Amino acid sequence: MRITRVLGAALLALGLAAAPAAADSSPSASPSGDSGAPTRAGTSFRTATEIEQGQRATADASTGDYLYWSFAADAGRRPTVHATVKLPEQHATQTWQIDVYDGLRRRQACQYGAQTRTAAQGAASVELACVLRTVRAWSEPWADDPLPGTYYVRLTVVGLQASDLGLPVNAEVEVGSKDIGGAAAVDGSLAQPLVPGVAVKSRQDGSGSANGEGGSKKAAVLSSIEPDGGWSSGWWSDRWVWTGIGAVLAALAGIGGYALTRGSGRPSRVPPGV
């Protein structure tokens, strides 16, 4: 009975410990509505329009333009980019493509999704999607793994007839992500997320008046977006919880095995006449 009570209490404690981990691994809720969503797109990496995850950004453009947006992705998340291009009533066959780049402007491969699609003549719209690999908190310098920081979305037409050049189109882009949890955790983290300009510091001259505030250094950050709650830097994941649960279960198994094999503790009966 005592062993049963101990095991029951331990299992209850493990259930309470695992509950926060399960809550943390669920996908974050998207903001309700599209109020305040951007209605324009940039034309280069430097002028990319910043969007929050869950927002549906729109932009009016001309066929042949390069459209750029940027968003923030943190470690342990798997971003997904959806794009819809509404085409004019009269047009020839067009092929559209969506590309995603990280903070170092390295093109990131899509795990799956229709990254390139061809709209038939007279089609009203074309939809594209790109599901990236899970963002890692740290990676080898030679690897091309997605890392925390700013990501760029580029939407453009890659197959176009001269007669369609300059026709008006409307583009919609939405970015979401899924929390992968401890399955994507690694032993390491970046010193700083890959945000353009985060490592650019203004120099201090000898008089200490370069910045106008006693020569104190300032970071020239070119991107102001970051995930809700800030950058996690990959130091915590539910892997810690499940590792602790495994250690406790192993200890309970050892205790239970010892209690079952040690016997009652009473001396064996001595046969009469010995």
Side-chain angles (χ1 to χ4, degrees), residues 41-44 61-62 64-69 99 154-158:
T43 56
S44 66
S62 300
D65 291 344
Y66 283 83
L67 307 179
Y68 287 82
W69 294 268
D99 298 297
R154 184 178 71 182
L155 177 65
T156 188
V157 60
V158 294

Side-chain angles (χ1 to χ4, degrees), residues 34-54:
D34 292 330
S35 59
T39 57
R40 56 174 295 274
T43 56
S44 66
F45 286 102
R46 294 183 60 87
T47 61
T49 299
E50 298 178 355
I51 59 176
E52 299 287 345
Q53 293 194 22

Side-chain angles (χ1 to χ4, degrees), residues 1-270:
M1 292 297 294
R2 181 176 300 176
I3 296 177
T4 303
R5 289 195 297 269
V6 172
L7 291 176
L11 291 176
L12 178 60
L14 292 176
L16 294 176
D24 292 340
S25 62
S26 60
S28 57
S30 300
S32 58
D34 292 330
S35 59
T39 57
R40 56 174 295 274
T43 56
S44 66
F45 286 102
R46 294 183 60 87
T47 61
T49 299
E50 298 178 355
I51 59 176
E52 299 287 345
Q53 293 194 22
Q55 283 185 329
R56 183 179 295 273
T58 59
D60 292 325
S62 300
T63 305
D65 291 344
Y66 283 83
L67 307 179
Y68 287 82
W69 294 268
S70 64
F71 65 95
D74 205 358
R77 314 288 299 190
R78 181 181 295 166
T80 300
V81 181
H82 293 278
T84 302
V85 182
K86 297 180 180 179
L87 305 173
E89 294 183 359
Q90 301 295 330
H91 65 84
T93 302
Q94 300 180 4
T95 300
W96 288 80
Q97 180 171 305
I98 187 172
D99 298 297
V100 182
Y101 299 82
D102 64 8
L104 298 178
R105 298 186 184 179
R106 303 177 302 180
R107 184 176 179 273
Q108 292 295 322
C110 301
Q111 271 193 320
Y112 50 88
Q115 183 181 5
T116 302
R117 268 191 171 176
T118 300
Q121 182 177 0
S125 63
V126 58
E127 296 184 359
L128 306 102
C130 176
V131 180
L132 297 175
R133 294 172 294 168
T134 303
V135 179
R136 297 165 57 89
W138 179 85
S139 178
E140 295 287 350
W142 47 262
D144 194 29
D145 296 322
L147 295 171
T150 300
Y151 283 76
Y152 297 92
V153 179
R154 184 178 71 182
L155 177 65
T156 188
V157 60
V158 294
L160 180 69
Q161 297 186 13
S163 58
D164 286 349
L165 185 63
L167 291 179
V169 294
N170 178 267
E172 296 181 358
V173 171
E174 184 174 2
V175 180
S177 65
K178 179 180 179 182
D179 188 358
I180 304 303
V186 295
D187 296 328
S189 61
L190 298 179
Q192 293 287 346
L194 299 180
V195 177
V198 72
V200 179
K201 301 288 185 179
S202 56
R203 295 293 181 180
Q204 177 182 0
D205 58 15
S207 61
S209 59
N211 302 309
E213 296 182 3
S216 59
K217 294 183 178 181
K218 293 182 178 179
V221 182
L222 303 182
S223 179
S224 61
I225 54 176
E226 65 177 25
D228 294 337
W231 300 99
S232 66
S233 300
W235 71 272
W236 166 258
S237 71
D238 55 6
R239 185 176 66 167
W240 291 96
V241 176
W242 295 111
T243 301
I245 291 175
V248 173
L249 289 176
L252 291 176
I255 295 173
Y258 173 76
L260 293 174
T261 58
R262 68 172 182 167
S264 61
R266 298 178 181 176
S268 60
R269 181 178 299 177
V270 180

